[in-house]
Structures are given as C-alpha cells and as structure tokens.
Amino acid sequence: METILSPPFSPLFNPKTSLSKPFLSLSHLPRSTKPICCSLRKQHSQIEKESFSVPKSCWVSHVQQGLAALAISLALNFCPVVSADSALASEFDVLNEGPPKDSYVVDDAGVLSRVTKSDLKALLSDVEKRKGFHINFITVRKLTSKADAFEYADQVLEKWYPSVEQGNDKGIVVLVTSQKEGAITGGPDFVKAVGDTVLDATVSENLPVLATEEKYNEAVFSTARRLVAAIDGLPDPGGPQLKDNKRESNFKSREETDEKRGQFTLVVGGLLVIAFVVPMAQYYAYVSKK
C-alpha cells in the first residue's frame, strides 16, 4: 500500500523540510506590514498637544485683561468718583433749588441726623401754624462766592423770596461747617418778632460755639428753640458758654522754688555730715579700745 500523504502536502511529517527553512524576520516584511503602533501613538500625542495647548499670546492677553479689570474695580471702590463741581457748586445748588417744600432743612453739608430733622420739622411747623413765621435752616460745607455767612444768608433770602411781601415773615438760618460760623436773616416782621438781642445771641453763642465742638445737631436745634421761644414771647432759654481752654501751668513759682531749694540744701548737708562724722566716730572708738 502506497503512502497516502505526500511530502509536499505534509511538511509536519517531514522535519527536514520544516526546520530547514527559517522564519521570515520583521526586516524582510514589506513596508505595509510593519507595526504601526509607534506611529499611531506619536500622531495621537501630537493631536492631544495641538488640541489642549493654548497660544502664549492668548493667555497673556487674558491675564492682562483680568489685571486691568481688578485695577478698575479697586479704583472705583477706594477712590469714589467725585464730580469736579460738587465742592464749588453746593452753595449755588442751594440757591437754585429754592426753599424746601416738605421740610424746613437743607442739609447740604450732611451733618444733621434724621432725629434732628424730624424734631425741627415738628417745632417749626407748629410755630408756623400758630404764628405764621416760616424758618429755614441751611448747612453748607464751605462758602466760595461770599465773604461770610451773613452775605450768603441775605443772598438766599433775596433769591428764594424776591419780593418784600414774600419774605416778610420768613427767616433764614445758615451754618457753615468748615468756617464754624453761622448767620440769621429774615424779613422785617420776622426780625421784629425775634428781636435783635436773641438774633445776636444765637449768632455769637449757639451756632459758633457748638459748631467749634462739631455738635452740629445741637447747634441747629438749640438755635431753633431759642428763635421759637422769642417769637412766642417766652423767656430766653439761653445758649452755651464758650469753654475756657486755658490750662494750668505746671511750672513752680519763684517762692515755691526757693522753699524747695532750701529744704534740699538742708537734706544734703545732713547727709554729708552723717557720712563724715559716723566713720570718724567708729574709728575713734576702735582706736581707743586698743
């Protein structure tokens, strides 16, 4: 019986044939069959770098924009914007706006509390209902157009009430906080009802004395009480007295200095005597024993 499997078709049964031919190495493979893992990794890493990398100029511009926004925010918070004409136009604004309609106070200086404004409204509205006199209080920080508060008060009266009939029973009280002074003016009937004595006293006592101590609320309300009392014919409640700020001298007088000097001389002399006499006495006693 012949061999069924021929050598060409069964290399496994022919060891010489199977082992004599070596395996093909990777170097002999075609270029298309070379491994592509390394090339894929390089391409993938390059794609990731391109997708996640940000140009330097881009993030630098973002940082600059952020710093600029932070600087603007800090400037707005710590350096509030103030209009150029606010410090000079306040007194003119008071003139142009006219008398207040819902109150009796124009607090342009911003030194009066809500309680003081409320108390002033109650006090001045009551006297207006009973006596017919309308009194306005004005506070300003500084005057630039007029020399003093009296000229400015007259200017306000003439601006707000141009005719004599309109300003006859009106009163204007001005307090300048920076100059620590005040003024009172008004129509003929108002000045007659209050009297020159009370007008002079409030201008020289209540307004300047309390303003010097920066007690602006007390200065305004005490002036209003004093004016209303004069209009009602009541006794003058008076005003604050200027405090004497003189300090006592710490220097001693000549008599006190001479007296202290004499006592000091006696003490020093006694100590010197003791310092010399006591050692000598001790030495004498020691020698005498020998």
Side-chain angles (χ1 to χ4, degrees), residues 27-175:
S27 61
H28 295 284
L29 291 176
R31 292 185 180 181
S32 60
T33 59
K34 287 183 178 181
I36 58 174
C37 296
C38 296
S39 62
L40 288 177
R41 289 178 182 177
K42 290 181 179 180
Q43 292 179 1
H44 182 66
S45 61
Q46 185 176 1
I47 292 173
E48 287 182 352
K49 289 181 180 179
E50 291 179 356
S51 61
F52 291 98
S53 63
V54 180
K56 183 178 181 181
S57 60
C58 182
W59 67 265
V60 169
S61 63
H62 283 298
V63 171
Q64 291 177 350
Q65 292 177 0
L67 292 176
L70 179 61
I72 293 173
S73 177
L74 293 175
L76 292 176
N77 289 331
F78 294 98
C79 300
V81 178
V82 181
S83 63
D85 299 333
S86 61
L88 300 177
S90 60
E91 56 187 295
F92 301 104
D93 291 340
V94 172
L95 290 172
N96 296 328
E97 290 177 0
K101 297 179 180 180
D102 299 332
S103 65
Y104 298 83
V105 181
V106 179
D107 185 22
D108 186 75
V111 294
L112 301 181
S113 64
R114 293 182 179 179
V115 176
T116 300
K117 294 178 181 179
S118 177
D119 293 341
L120 283 173
K121 184 176 181 180
L123 180 64
L124 299 178
S125 62
D126 178 68
V127 73
E128 185 178 10
K129 292 178 182 178
R130 293 186 294 101
K131 299 293 183 177
F133 292 100
H134 185 93
I135 307 174
N136 291 309
F137 281 80
I138 303 171
T139 66
V140 292
R141 295 182 182 87
K142 186 178 180 180
L143 295 177
T144 58
S145 62
K146 296 298 178 181
D148 54 21
F150 291 96
E151 294 185 7
Y152 182 70
D154 292 336
Q155 185 182 13
V156 172
L157 181 65
E158 294 175 0
K159 180 70 175 181
W160 287 4
Y161 310 105
S163 63
V164 179
E165 290 77 13
Q166 292 178 348
N168 189 31
D169 53 357
K170 304 297 190 300
I172 301 293
V173 181
V174 175
L175 175 63

